């Protein structure tokens, strides 16, 4: 009898080993490699400071490290033939897998319980290959298990739910990225037109526009022109920066937003935006006023204002994504379906693994299946709210720099220079 209990205890230790091994990997400190590239990309991954809290290594705190912008160097690495080996080597450093660790431990514990109970209630194989009688005996004691057929029948349905969940979440991320792509394109377009058309006041007031001559710009004060265009550039940046703040968590961005706005705008302009109930709308209004003050024909001003209507559309679309998740009943049903399916799966895997020692192979298999399937659902959840994983700060900084550069070209290309180029080309 003592030998029987000794073997049973040894069995439990062996059964628990895969689960404990997984837990130790989850709780192990993250191996952080220093970034050696000198490109301008924003890298994915954990913080480079080894003393960073665990809350920034996965979960909500790690989202700011997923705001990746690729350059040519990163695409080369992305296509590397070593990518599979690298991704497998960092399996247990994955923030996605760390995020689902509790769920995986739960399903693995169920698998350990099924193996352990059936060994105690139905007998087990010793280390020497000999079979031992059940440790717990009685008329009420039975081995537990389920047929595999229900899980096989439900697998396609579960797969469809997960596919729709991930596709919908990716579409939301893609739509948010396209909104910011429109912002980038039309901020440059707006400032280009404002700079090129500045000072053309022909056909204004009581002069007919259709068929009228278009004289060259006259009496342009270079200092005033630079001030006017700089206002357009600044408020263009102020709009996208306010939009970024509008779509970001206050705890992450409020302090930085106020500091940046006060650094670039006049005190009055900055306070008008900071104290507004809807900051992007206020910045967009200030941009409209700056455009209205430009000395150019109203038809051209209308063209500039079309960009502002597009900005309003991208802002409204982003607010829709932020405030409207995938219908909660769908997300909840998918999560419940997946969790229930995986929690009961060990009962059905017991018999198929009868050829392994005391059915123990089902434990690591259960862990692996759980990691993969819970990981798919976690990917969808992480993508569903796209703004905190988009590099919006990088977009805003680039937009500000590009707009400042465009308005600095004002006056570089005069009519005399144009005529001179035409004469030179005519000689060719």
């Amino acid at each position: 009898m003592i030998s029987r209990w000794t073997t049973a205890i040894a069995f439990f230790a062996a059964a628990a080993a895969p689960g404990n091994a997984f837990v130790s990997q989850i709780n192990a400190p993250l191996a952080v490699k220093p970034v050696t590239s000198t490109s301008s990309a924003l890298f994915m991954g954990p913080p480079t400071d080894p003393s960073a809290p665990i809350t920034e290594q996965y979960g909500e705190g790690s989202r700011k490290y997923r705001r990746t912008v690729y350059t040519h160097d990163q695409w080369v690495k992305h296509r590397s033939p070593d990518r599979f080996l690298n991704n497998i080597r960092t399996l247990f450093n994955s923030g996605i897998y760390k995020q689902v660790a509790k769920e995986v431990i739960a399903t693995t514990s169920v698998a350990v319980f099924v193996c352990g109970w059936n060994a105690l209630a139905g007998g087990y194989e010793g280390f020497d290959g000999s079979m031992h009688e059940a440790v717990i005996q009685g008329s009420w004691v039975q081995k537990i298990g389920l047929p595999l057929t229900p899980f096989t029948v439900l697998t396609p349905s579960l797969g469809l739910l997960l596919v729709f969940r991930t596709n919908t979440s990716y579409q939301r991320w893609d739509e948010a990225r396209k909104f910011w792509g429109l912002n980038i394109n039309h901020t440059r377009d707006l400032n280009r037109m404002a700079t090129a058309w500045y000072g053309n006041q022909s056909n204004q007031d009581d002069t007919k526009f259709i068929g009228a001559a278009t004289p060259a710009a006259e009496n342009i004060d270079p200092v005033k022109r630079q001030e006017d265009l700089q206002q357009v550039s600044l408020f263009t940046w102020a709009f996208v920066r306010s939009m970024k703040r509008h779509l970001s968590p206050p705890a992450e961005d409020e302090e930085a937003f106020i500091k940046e706005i006060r650094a670039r705008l006049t005190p009055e302009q900055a306070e008008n935006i900071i104290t507004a109930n809807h900051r992007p709308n206020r910045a967009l209004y200030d941009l409209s006023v700056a455009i209205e003050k430009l000395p150019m024909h109203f038809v051209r001003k209308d063209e500039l204002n079309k960009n502002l209507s597009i900005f309003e559309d991208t802002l409204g679309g982003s607010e829709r994504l932020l405030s409207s998740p995938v219908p909660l009943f769908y997300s909840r049903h998918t999560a419940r379906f997946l969790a229930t399916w995986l929690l009961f799966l060990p009962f059905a895997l017991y018999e198929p693994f009868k050829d392994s020692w005391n059915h123990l192979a089902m434990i690591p298999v259960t862990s692996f299946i759980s990691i993969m399937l819970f990981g798919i659902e976690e990917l969808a959840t992480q993508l569903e709210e796209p703004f905190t994983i988009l590099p919006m700060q990088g977009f805003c900084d680039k937009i500000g720099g590009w707009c400042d550069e465009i308005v600095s070209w004002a006056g570089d290309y005069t009519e005399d220079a144009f005529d001179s180029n035409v004469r030179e080309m005519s000689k060719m």
Side-chain angles (χ1 to χ4, degrees):
M1 186 67 180
I2 296 177
S3 175
R4 180 180 301 175
W5 278 104
T6 303
T7 307
I9 294 172
F11 164 77
F12 277 120
N20 289 338
F22 182 82
V23 174
S24 65
Q25 292 283 355
I26 290 295
N27 293 330
L30 205 61
V32 179
K33 296 183 178 180
V35 177
T36 57
S37 175
T38 58
S39 71
S40 59
L42 303 177
F43 287 88
M44 283 185 65
T48 56
D49 182 5
S51 62
I54 189 67
T55 53
E56 290 200 2
Q57 296 180 13
Y58 69 96
E60 287 299 313
S62 69
R63 288 180 69 82
K64 58 178 171 287
Y65 300 105
R66 303 184 186 278
R67 299 165 188 171
T68 310
V69 176
Y70 264 28
T71 62
H72 292 292
D73 292 340
Q74 279 65 55
W75 281 115
V76 170
K77 182 178 179 181
H78 186 75
R79 296 187 292 264
S80 169
D82 297 329
R83 61 187 183 277
F84 296 105
L85 179 61
N86 292 334
N87 288 330
I88 292 175
R89 187 169 59 244
T90 59
L91 178 69
F92 290 105
N93 287 337
S94 169
I96 293 294
Y97 300 151
K98 286 178 178 289
Q99 188 74 358
V100 300
K102 293 179 181 179
E103 291 83 355
V104 174
I105 291 173
T107 56
T108 304
S109 299
V110 173
V112 172
F113 169 76
V114 170
C115 279
W117 174 261
N118 286 343
L120 295 175
Y124 56 91
E125 181 182 355
F127 292 117
D128 58 357
S130 60
M131 296 303 299
H132 297 265
E133 295 181 359
V135 175
I136 303 176
Q137 298 182 357
S139 58
W140 56 272
V141 178
Q142 295 182 359
K143 296 172 67 174
I144 54 178
L146 290 171
L148 194 58
T149 303
F151 297 89
T152 305
V153 171
L154 288 175
T155 296
S157 300
L158 179 60
L160 287 174
L161 283 173
L162 290 175
V163 166
F164 180 82
R165 180 86 169 90
T166 52
N167 283 353
T168 302
S169 295
Y170 176 77
Q171 288 170 3
R172 291 168 58 87
W173 178 91
D174 185 57
E175 189 176 6
R177 180 62 183 87
K178 287 176 179 177
F179 285 148
W180 276 94
L182 285 173
N183 283 344
I184 292 172
N185 294 346
H186 288 277
T187 51
R188 294 186 292 203
D189 200 34
L190 185 154
N191 282 267
R192 174 188 57 81
M193 290 189 291
T195 303
W197 292 346
Y198 185 90
N200 191 332
Q201 303 183 65
S202 59
N203 315 313
Q204 209 163 6
D205 300 325
D206 58 343
T207 305
K208 293 182 179 180
F209 178 71
I210 301 299
T214 305
E218 297 178 356
N219 301 322
I220 295 179
D221 181 355
V223 176
K224 186 177 187 305
R225 175 177 60 193
Q226 198 59 42
E227 290 176 353
D228 290 344
L229 293 176
Q230 189 61 37
Q231 287 294 295
V232 174
S233 175
L234 279 175
F235 284 120
T236 303
W237 168 83
F239 164 71
V240 293
R241 186 62 183 87
S242 299
M243 180 174 170
K244 189 262 181 184
R245 167 61 195 89
H246 190 64
L247 301 172
S248 301
E252 177 186 320
D253 195 42
E254 178 68 14
E255 184 177 349
F257 168 76
I258 293 176
K259 183 178 179 180
E260 290 180 40
I261 288 292
R262 285 176 175 168
R264 297 201 64 181
L265 302 180
T266 65
E268 182 181 0
Q269 292 171 339
E271 292 307 314
N272 286 338
I273 294 177
I274 292 172
T275 58
N277 290 329
H278 197 288
R279 290 162 170 173
N281 275 345
R282 176 65 205 207
L284 209 55
Y285 166 77
D286 291 338
L287 179 55
S288 297
V289 173
I291 292 173
E292 187 61 29
K293 291 180 179 179
L294 297 178
M296 66 176 61
H297 192 271
F298 73 90
V299 173
R300 289 182 166 176
K301 289 182 181 179
D302 287 345
E303 290 298 315
L304 267 65
N305 278 295
K306 288 180 181 178
N307 291 292
L308 273 62
S309 297
I310 293 173
F311 295 156
E312 198 69 71
D313 289 340
T314 61
L315 174 61
S318 297
E319 290 174 328
R320 168 177 53 81
L321 291 176
L322 184 63
S323 61
S324 304
V326 173
L328 294 179
F329 52 83
Y330 186 93
S331 302
R332 289 170 179 169
H333 178 69
T334 303
R336 290 164 182 158
F337 190 166
L338 177 62
T340 305
W341 193 89
L342 286 172
L343 284 171
F344 282 96
L345 182 63
F347 294 92
L349 290 181
Y350 181 80
E351 190 60 29
F353 283 92
K354 60 184 178 181
D355 292 334
S356 63
W357 185 70
N358 287 313
H359 304 250
L360 281 185
M362 65 170 282
I363 297 176
V365 170
T366 299
S367 297
F368 179 76
I369 295 174
S370 300
I371 291 173
M372 296 300 113
L373 292 183
F374 278 130
I376 293 174
E377 201 279 336
E378 181 65 20
L379 286 174
T381 302
Q382 293 292 329
L383 281 171
E384 187 177 1
E385 189 276 283
F387 299 106
T388 48
I389 56 174
L390 280 175
M392 295 189 295
Q393 184 63 50
F395 296 155
C396 293
D397 294 341
K398 289 291 187 181
I399 288 172
W402 287 326
C403 291
D404 287 344
E405 181 184 31
I406 291 171
V407 300
S408 71
W409 298 336
D412 284 357
Y413 203 72
T414 63
E415 187 175 353
D416 291 340
F418 177 79
D419 292 339
S420 176
N421 286 342
V422 170
R423 287 193 297 271
E424 289 296 328
M425 293 179 66
S426 64
K427 296 178 182 180
M428 298 176 64

